[in-house]
Amino acid sequence: MNVESISYIIDTLYAIFAMTLIIFMVPGFAMLEAGIVRTKNVTAVLTINTLIYAVASLSFLLFGYSLAFGDLGSDSMSKYAAFLFQMAFVGKVVNIMSGGVSERAKVIPLVLFTVIMASILYPLVVNITWGSNFLEGTILELSMYDLAGSTVIHSTGGWALLAAILIIGARKGRYPKEGGIRVIPASNIPLVTLGAFLLWIGWFGFNGGSVGSIASKENADLVALTIMNTNTAGLCGAIVVAIIMQIMYKKLDLTMILNGALGGLVAVTAGPDLYDIYTPILIGSIGGILVVIGVSVFDKLKIDDPVGALSVHLVNGIWGTIAVGLFASNGEDITILGQLKGIIVVAIFAFISSYIILFIINKIMPLRAGNDEEMQGLDVEECGIEAYPEFKRAF
């Protein structure tokens, strides 16, 4: 067996391993969201997450992958491994959106949007960034560097979420008419914690696998550096938010600390392979600060996001992409203007296209559950199964 064959086998195995880590993010999103929402909506959240993985993956297999990558192939690994790795990403875009509309969005309309997002919208974003690039040679051609998707995945999902929230509105009672903000506590903090750590673990495959090859000494070092920098940013996001919570409220809010970690992870995703081992400390710390600011700002704007996805994914997706232009250290042809152009083009396309599709779906089949359904909880009407039936009173 020659060296080329050995490299092919190693890279194929690594892509499948990275894909498997990314799939751990499916239960990660599911557990985090199930813990954040009230018990009457847990089954609905879990059903949405299950169907997103199934529907998005099949839609990407049948339509999305060819739209994104065209005839581009991979000579360094099995084409099936290359597909599986890319397929692992697609559901995450919709997961970002589904969590932010929890407790009032119906299952079937979200599944319909998943089909369109995975078949058309997300693949078009991939096409102009990582893929075959139909904008090549035009004034809109992008030069943005985004290793694993701070913009391509996280901001795209964030813009879709913002469009959805603007259409369906806030949960009942979240922003009372007399003013203020009603706190709706999480139902299961252990599940939130488990979900956040599953996401964190999945990020090692998310970013590490995006390096593309591990079959040489140089690439093995680069993969290890990428995973190390990814972890560092998550650590610092969590620590900074813990400090802020203690200073501001004299309370260590675990849900905010976990979101701080996730914010740091999103922020470093655009360029963990380009940084030295210290830069992610700054990037992740700023990511944590942005989570705290973002949650407050969105609440003041009465944009109801139960899981804080806009602050974690949209805001930090933007920050992380800009950070590459500020801190990239390996001589890549990267500029702030190039990064900003990519952010803006993806933002305009992702928000407008998502809004139009969601608006049309909402006219055909309302996205939002009725008042009685929302008060009772979506588990009964949408799924017919309650996650915690023993909690109901017997009379």
Side-chain angles (χ1 to χ4, degrees):
M1 186 178 294
N2 59 33
V3 173
E4 184 177 344
S5 295
I6 294 172
S7 296
Y8 183 94
I9 293 169
I10 291 172
D11 282 342
T12 295
L13 179 61
Y14 182 64
I16 294 171
F17 173 70
M19 170 261 186
T20 304
L21 285 180
I22 298 170
I23 299 304
F24 271 106
M25 300 175 90
V26 176
F29 276 108
M31 294 300 98
L32 187 146
E33 293 170 21
I36 285 286
V37 302
R38 287 164 287 186
T39 54
K40 63 183 180 179
N41 296 310
V42 170
T43 301
V45 161
L46 297 176
T47 303
I48 288 170
N49 275 270
T50 301
L51 289 175
I52 284 173
Y53 176 58
V55 171
S57 298
L58 186 61
S59 298
F60 196 65
L61 168 67
L62 297 177
F63 306 105
Y65 185 78
S66 59
L67 179 57
F69 294 100
D71 296 329
L72 293 179
S74 174
D75 297 327
S76 65
M77 68 179 70
S78 167
K79 62 182 179 181
Y80 308 114
F83 164 76
L84 285 169
F85 180 76
Q86 292 296 332
M87 184 208 74
F89 282 152
V90 63
K92 309 304 161 287
V93 180
V94 193
N95 280 130
I96 291 165
M97 190 198 91
S98 68
V101 293
S102 294
E103 302 207 280
R104 71 271 202 206
K106 303 183 78 171
V107 174
I108 293 177
L110 283 182
V111 171
L112 291 176
F113 180 74
T114 298
V115 173
I116 297 168
M117 175 61 86
S119 300
I120 302 172
L121 304 187
Y122 170 72
L124 285 174
V125 174
V126 172
N127 182 292
I128 62 175
T129 51
W130 298 337
S132 51
N133 194 6
F134 72 89
L135 294 179
E136 187 175 5
T138 72
I139 192 172
L140 291 176
E141 181 178 359
L142 303 184
S143 60
M144 175 182 66
Y145 188 92
D146 189 5
L147 175 72
S150 284
T151 285
V152 176
I153 293 171
H154 296 283
S155 285
T156 297
W159 289 118
L161 170 57
L162 181 60
I165 292 175
L166 293 177
I167 290 172
I168 71 172
R171 289 169 290 177
K172 290 183 66 65
R174 174 64 170 156
Y175 305 112
K177 292 181 180 179
E178 60 270 19
I181 301 169
R182 178 192 166 207
V183 175
I184 301 177
S187 64
N188 193 322
I189 295 298
L191 276 188
V192 176
T193 307
L194 174 62
F197 275 98
L198 286 172
L199 290 170
W200 198 329
I201 293 167
W203 238 290
F204 301 149
F206 206 90
N207 291 359
S210 294
V211 173
S213 175
I214 198 173
S216 69
K217 181 180 182 299
E218 293 76 19
N219 285 339
D221 280 343
L222 189 58
V223 168
L225 173 66
T226 297
I227 294 173
M228 179 178 176
N229 285 343
T230 299
N231 191 56
T232 298
L235 301 174
C236 293
I239 291 168
V240 165
V241 172
I243 292 170
I244 293 172
M245 291 295 101
Q246 183 63 29
I247 291 172
M248 291 180 63
Y249 305 109
K250 308 300 182 188
K251 304 289 183 184
L252 292 169
D253 184 332
L254 180 57
T255 60
M256 286 296 295
I257 294 169
L258 293 169
N259 268 349
L262 298 179
L265 291 163
V266 171
V268 81
T269 291
D273 57 327
L274 304 181
Y275 304 135
D276 60 33
I277 64 172
Y278 303 107
T279 303
I281 296 173
L282 177 61
I283 291 173
S285 297
I286 293 174
I289 293 168
L290 289 174
V291 166
V292 176
I293 294 171
V295 167
S296 176
V297 169
F298 287 121
D299 264 339
K300 287 179 180 176
L301 295 173
K302 297 186 177 180
I303 295 175
D304 184 19
D305 174 10
V307 299
L310 289 172
S311 304
V312 170
H313 298 280
L314 176 56
V315 173
N316 273 298
I318 293 169
W319 157 236
T321 308
I322 293 171
V324 172
L326 295 174
F327 303 117
S329 60
N330 74 338
E332 292 274 353
D333 185 21
I334 297 168
T335 66
I336 290 289
L337 288 178
Q339 297 299 101
L340 289 172
K341 181 180 178 182
I343 291 167
I344 292 168
V345 169
V346 170
I348 292 171
F349 172 75
F351 178 77
I352 293 176
S353 61
S354 296
Y355 191 94
I356 291 171
I357 297 300
L358 288 165
F359 184 85
I360 293 170
I361 291 173
N362 191 48
K363 289 296 182 182
I364 299 170
M365 181 182 296
L367 284 165
R368 182 166 187 143
N371 288 339
D372 290 343
E373 293 174 287
E374 189 175 344
M375 291 298 293
Q376 180 179 238
L378 301 184
D379 286 2
V380 174
E381 290 296 326
E382 289 282 284
C383 305
I385 300 174
E386 294 177 271
Y388 304 105
E390 68 275 14
F391 286 2
K392 293 193 70 172
R393 299 175 71 178
F395 53 89

